[in-house]
Each structure stands twice: as C-alpha cells, then as structure tokens.
Amino acid sequence: MEQAILVLNAGSSSLKFSVFAIAETGELRAVAVGQVEGLGTAPRLRVKDGDGQRIADEQWDKAAVGSHAQALQRVADLLRARYPGGTLAGVGHRVVHGGPDYSAPLRISPSAMAALEAFIPLAPLHQPHNLAAIRAVQEVQPDLPQVACFDTAFHRTQETVGQFYGLPYEYYERGIRRYGFHGLSYEYVAATLPHVAPEIAGGRVVVAHLGSGASMCALHGGRSVGSSMGFTALDGLMMGTRPGNMDPGIVLYLLQQEGLSAQQIEDLLYKRSGLLGLSGVGNDMRVLLASDSPRAALAIDYFVYRINRELGALAAVLGGLDALVFTAGIGENSARIRQLVCRQARWLGIELDDEANETGAPCISRPGSRASAWVVPTNEELMIARHTRELLAL
Ligand code: ADP
C-alpha cells in the first residue's frame, strides 16, 4: 500500500478510526474503517475494509486493553499485519473544541497541546479523550506528524453578534459564547455542494445534520453564518439522548427544587433525555418509526417540530432560503423524517418530490420548487483526512 493517513475520533469509551490511502494523484481512498467500543468494560474491535467487507471482529480482555493507548497499539498491529507495505504518513484527529480563535486545523506541537488543554473546561466530556488519543499516538510513534481538526472551526466565520448570549459582557470574554459544532460535517457538505448541486452552492442553504447528535447550520455561499448548537453540543435540536434547546430556568429548578446534583443533571441532559427520554422506547429513530407506542409518535413529532423551528430561525438569519440539505444517519436514511420536515416547511417554498425522496436521490424537491431540498451524505473522516493531507503537504 502507498502512503496512508490515519483518522481518529476518540470518545470516553470508544476509538473510531479510518485509514485513507493517498494515491499518486493525491486522491484519498478509504481502505479500513473501524472502531473499538467498550473501553474500560468489554472492549471489542470491529474493522471493515474500504468495500465494507469485515476484516476483524474481536472481543478483548479489559485487563489487557483498558486505555486508548493500548487499543491503538492493537489497532496498529492489526493494520500493519494487513497492509505490510503501507507507510503511515500522518494522523488526523477529530477534536471537539478549538476555542474562540482556531478557524482551521492545527498541527500538533507541545504549544498546540497546551492550547488545546486550555479548552478542556469548555468540553469536559469530549476534549480530554480527543487529547488522550493524540498522546497515545505520541507514545506509540513519537515522530508521526499529527493534526487536530476542530468541530468548532467552520463556524468561526459567523458574525460576532450571533455568538453572544445576553449575559454580562465579561462572560463572553471568559469564553461563554455560541461556538457551534458538527463543523467538519458542514464543511464537507459545503465542499460537496458545488459538485452535486451547483445551482444552490452559492446561495442560502440550511444543512440539517440529523444523527444521534443533531444540529443545523445556515450556509451562505458555503460559509457558516449560523448554527443551532451553541456553547455546548446540548443546544438546538432534540437528539437521541439530549433535549436540545430548553429554558435555562429548568436547570435551576432541578437544582433548587428537585435537589439534583450537577452530576445528576449532566447525566439527565446528556444520556437520558431526547428521543430516548421522551419516547421511553429508545434513542434509535428506526426503532421509534417502527413502534406503535403513542410516546414514540410524540417523540418523532417533537423531533420534527424542533427541526422546523430551527429552520425558521436559520432562514431568518439568512434572509430567506434557497435550499434545505439533509445529512447524517437520520437525514440520509429516513425518507419518512425528510417527508415530515419538508411538509412543515412548505411555507418556505419547499415542494417535496415523494418519489425522489423515497429513493434518496440527491435532489428530493419538485422541479420549479421555490426552495429545493437535497440529500447529501456527509463524511467527516474524509474531511479530516483532507485537512491532514493538506496541512502536512502529503
Ligand atoms: P452519529 O451521530 O453517532 O455519528 P449517525 O449519523 O450514524 O450518528 O446516525 C445514527 C442514527 O441514525 C441512529 O441512531 C439511527 O437512529 C439513525 N438511522 C440510521 N438509519 C436510519 C434509517 N434507515 N431510518 C431512520 N433512522 C436511521
């Protein structure tokens, strides 16, 4: 195999990875995609090749593989055995927070690590794990160049006024601002639109990233001008297990009247709310769509309602709407959710083409529809690999 880039996305108990081969032409081709899940409890590795064929499915002893570094060592051994001629030329990491200033990826150095550590308080549930993966690579192969790609960076083009909260000004200076997330997904979609939908790429577009985490982004001429997520990834749309936008007075009420601790509230907001909490059935949209429980139907209704409220808000930021783009697990795969959203968005001029919607064709609105609707699959890993290739001049 030629030179390759490893892309890592580390969570608290998981390590997702992809390997991209760099062709002579500079083109990137996925040759392996996998994940280690259950780190700390029951670690399990699953890997597929670039065609989706299974390469490995292994259960590991948690005493032997307890850390990101140990998992990475095992993954490296497996990849080396599978691609003996390959050379790893760089590693790109998904790093959730780039703080107020980083609007582009960053090559890892000791000073860069210090800067990224300073953002840990802004994303305590994710940033430490992202940085642990960088350190794990440093342990295994200290000379390998590494790049941090931020979920916040793409939104740094937004107007400053949109990044404020109505708190005393010093809180803004202390970093309490709207950052926005899922930036690598939006950047990928923005880069793809000129190829699949050139007629809308320069216009006013709202992208709905509907996965287990979900948010929306307003693009004007391919640049982010607004986002439904704010200071944390809790804001905006309702998600699989997160509530989305809610009155901050609820947090005070839970603390003062219900006697919940900060830890309990964190658990409620990140793990027990959203589709899961409202339906009582589960957090997987497929399960909810197949369920005949009235609360599953309520959760779906509320999910769609929130999307449409945010769509209205982002259309207002854009001063109108030329197109709505669906992406991520639910957005790419659920014709039903797209149909429900588009029906409610008729007032914005979207006329759904039901047949195109069923097939998931890139354009799912009728010809002549005042605003069009699209399905554009996202690829955050490829975006990270592209950034890594460019920054390291590979
Ligand atoms: P993540 O945010 O974890 O990367 P994804 O973008 O992969 O998530 O989206 C995962 C979610 O997509 C799942 O929770 C599931 O609810 C949803 N999903 C996947 N396929 C379908 C489908 N055919 N219909 C409805 N929902 C789907």
Side-chain angles (χ1 to χ4, degrees), residues 16 210-213 283-286 289 328-330 333-334:
K16 294 185 186 159
L210 308 177
S212 48
N283 63 344
D284 189 322
M285 185 55 87
R286 287 165 291 204
L289 286 166
I330 300 172
N333 297 304
S334 178

Side-chain angles (χ1 to χ4, degrees), residues 354-365:
D354 283 306
E355 219 169 283
N357 183 40
E358 284 302 326
T359 61
C363 183
I364 58 168
S365 52

Side-chain angles (χ1 to χ4, degrees), residues 9 16 94 182 209-214 240 242 275 283-289 327-337 378 380-381:
N9 178 1
K16 294 185 186 159
R94 181 179 188 171
H182 287 141
H209 175 111
L210 308 177
S212 48
R242 289 170 255 167
L275 293 172
N283 63 344
D284 189 322
M285 185 55 87
R286 287 165 291 204
V287 174
L288 299 195
L289 286 166
T327 196
I330 300 172
E332 291 166 26
N333 297 304
S334 178
R336 178 71 183 142
I337 296 296
T378 194
E380 290 152 294
E381 293 73 25

